[in-house]
């Protein structure tokens, strides 16, 4: 079956950096757009970033634009999210997700990981 497994979350101080990874299995990775979403306590799950099938196109939420980079390695079936200059408001559970179509709404994504916690605090 399809599995998406996130890693790389943790506790980081404000202005710090983290690199999240998401390893996929059970699907033809290069046929899926990969997205990152996040959900803070008491809030809706929101879009963070998306990368197209071969990585040539990326798109970011305004809240992370300029501070984050999404990338993928199709040979390793892995998508990454590099986050810099982290802020306390970036604290959330971060999820990766796979979709056959390019989009930023969570309803278009077929497969989800279990999430990894990112906490930004001094």
């Amino acid at each position: 079956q399809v599995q998406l497994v996130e890693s790389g979350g943790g506790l980081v101080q404000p202005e710090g950096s983290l690199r999240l990874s998401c390893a996929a299995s059970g699907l033809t990775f290069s046929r899926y757009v990969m997205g990152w979403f996040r959900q803070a306590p008491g809030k809706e799950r929101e879009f963070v970033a998306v990368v197209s099938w071969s990585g040539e196109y990326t798109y970011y939420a305004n809240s992370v634009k300029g501070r984050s980079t999404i990338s993928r390695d199709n040979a390793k079936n892995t998508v990454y999210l590099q986050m810099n200059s982290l802020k306390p408001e970036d604290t959330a559970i971060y999820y990766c997700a796979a979709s056959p179509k390019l989009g930023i709404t969570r309803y278009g994504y077929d497969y989800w990981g279990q999430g990894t916690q990112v906490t930004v605090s001094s």
Side-chain angles (χ1 to χ4, degrees):
Q1 74 276 20
V2 175
Q3 282 193 311
L4 302 178
V5 181
E6 301 96 335
S7 60
L11 174 64
V12 62
Q13 292 188 340
E15 297 303 314
S17 298
L18 279 177
R19 188 195 197 202
L20 306 183
S21 300
C22 171
S25 61
L27 76 171
T28 304
F29 187 69
S30 61
R31 293 183 181 176
Y32 285 83
V33 167
M34 297 301 296
W36 285 96
F37 293 77
R38 67 186 183 186
Q39 188 166 17
K43 295 189 176 181
E44 294 283 320
R45 190 170 300 189
E46 64 176 6
F47 166 78
V48 175
V50 63
V51 61
S52 60
W53 301 266
S54 60
E56 77 282 3
Y57 175 81
T58 58
Y59 184 79
Y60 300 90
N62 287 336
S63 58
V64 302
K65 192 177 297 181
R67 301 189 294 121
S68 298
T69 303
I70 187 171
S71 61
R72 66 189 294 161
D73 185 338
N74 286 350
K76 296 182 178 180
N77 286 4
T78 301
V79 60
Y80 306 96
L81 183 68
Q82 176 70 43
M83 300 189 295
N84 302 320
S85 302
L86 283 161
K87 306 175 182 180
E89 51 265 42
D90 293 317
T91 296
I93 299 174
Y94 284 70
Y95 300 89
C96 70
S99 172
K101 299 180 180 180
L102 188 61
I104 65 171
T105 173
R106 66 183 188 268
Y107 303 109
Y109 284 76
D110 296 335
Y111 303 109
W112 292 83
Q114 82 289 348
T116 186
Q117 176 71 47
V118 172
T119 302
V120 184
S121 175
S122 56

